[in-house]
Amino acid sequence: LCLAATVAAGCSRRPALLPVTLPDVARVDAGVQTQIRERYAALTRAIGARSTPIVELATAYGQYGMVLQAAEFFDVAEPCYRNAEALDTDEVPWPYSLANLYKSRGETDKAEAAFTRALQLQPNDLATLIWLGRLNLDQGKTDAAESLFARAYSLSPRAVAVLAGLGRVAVAKRDYAAAVKYLDEALMIDPEAESLHAPLAAAYRGLGQIDRARPHIGQWRNRDLPVPD
């Protein structure tokens, strides 16, 4: 099934939109199948009603994209978010969700661009600052990452993901004492944040404190650090 790309027909204010499909949902649980079909039906109704306000149509596209993304139908979710963003350019969730979709697919440049658009709309959004900081840090853009994490720190100085970002930046810049400060504090707040033991071990090695580095190497686990969003 496919919704026509020319939803804009008959309404000059609406941009031409990308086609959106209903995927084969057989691989997901019955409850998820129901959610996907319900969102698709809601979107179909919103498109069919020519009087639907543009913002409501954007929401229908975006909400369908969200349930698709949650079920990992990334390729089908992408045009939903792009349509939602085209219809309602002032709404943060659509570029933010699109950025996370691109991140899940490993499309770093697209993710960075979408997170940047989201941040322009809401400059003090903590989650966007953290994700964009991580992307910059992973690409070796330490100054840009430091600026983003510093902004996040001013908003939430006890957020573990923020302290972790500042710690990783400090390791990259060989400011090992600062790295120990940030990472130790993060682990005090959340002792289960086991992924922080690796950069903390690197910081202690950088300080020449091998005996203090060794225990952290043994405690490291490759686990995602949650982002508050």
Side-chain angles (χ1 to χ4, degrees):
L1 296 176
C2 179
L3 298 181
T6 56
V7 174
C11 182
S12 60
R13 293 180 302 164
R14 295 183 182 181
L17 302 176
L18 298 169
V20 171
T21 61
L22 177 65
D24 180 358
V25 297
R27 68 171 174 80
V28 297
D29 294 340
V32 178
Q33 292 182 28
T34 298
Q35 291 181 54
I36 290 173
R37 290 193 176 102
E38 287 177 348
R39 291 295 186 188
Y40 185 79
L43 175 58
T44 303
R45 289 193 298 270
I47 290 171
R50 298 302 179 91
S51 60
T52 301
I54 288 179
V55 172
E56 289 184 17
L57 182 58
T59 299
Y61 272 111
Q63 289 179 343
Y64 181 47
M66 285 179 172
V67 72
L68 289 170
Q69 184 176 3
E72 298 186 354
F73 290 107
F74 298 130
D75 291 346
V76 190
E78 180 184 358
C80 294
Y81 290 142
R82 289 176 61 185
N83 287 346
E85 189 177 9
L87 288 163
D88 189 0
T89 57
D90 295 328
E91 191 67 19
V92 175
W94 313 139
Y96 179 81
S97 297
L98 185 59
N100 275 290
L101 184 150
Y102 287 139
K103 178 172 59 64
S104 297
R105 294 199 310 204
E107 299 178 69
T108 302
D109 290 344
K110 289 183 177 181
E112 183 178 352
F115 276 131
T116 299
R117 291 197 301 276
L119 194 62
Q120 289 169 345
L121 293 171
Q122 192 168 328
N124 291 330
D125 184 71
L126 185 64
T128 305
L129 287 165
I130 293 170
W131 283 124
L132 196 52
R134 287 182 179 180
L135 285 176
N136 277 274
L137 186 56
D138 290 343
Q139 295 176 81
K141 304 174 185 177
T142 53
D143 288 340
E146 185 174 31
S147 175
L148 290 161
F149 284 122
R151 285 167 61 185
Y153 183 81
S154 70
L155 298 169
S156 185
R158 287 183 57 81
V160 171
V162 174
L163 293 167
L166 288 170
R168 287 183 58 205
V169 166
V171 170
K173 300 185 82 167
R174 300 185 180 182
D175 187 354
Y176 299 119
V180 167
K181 171 183 174 294
Y182 288 126
L183 296 168
D184 263 342
E185 184 177 355
L187 278 169
M188 286 179 63
I189 295 170
D190 183 6
E192 301 299 318
E194 296 171 314
S195 63
L196 301 184
H197 289 289
L200 187 52
Y204 278 124
R205 283 199 304 269
L207 291 171
Q209 300 177 18
I210 305 302
D211 289 343
R212 300 190 71 175
R214 192 172 293 113
H216 290 287
I217 296 173
Q219 295 178 74
W220 174 80
R221 297 291 184 276
N222 187 20
R223 294 178 180 171
D224 290 337
L225 196 62
V227 172
D229 64 1

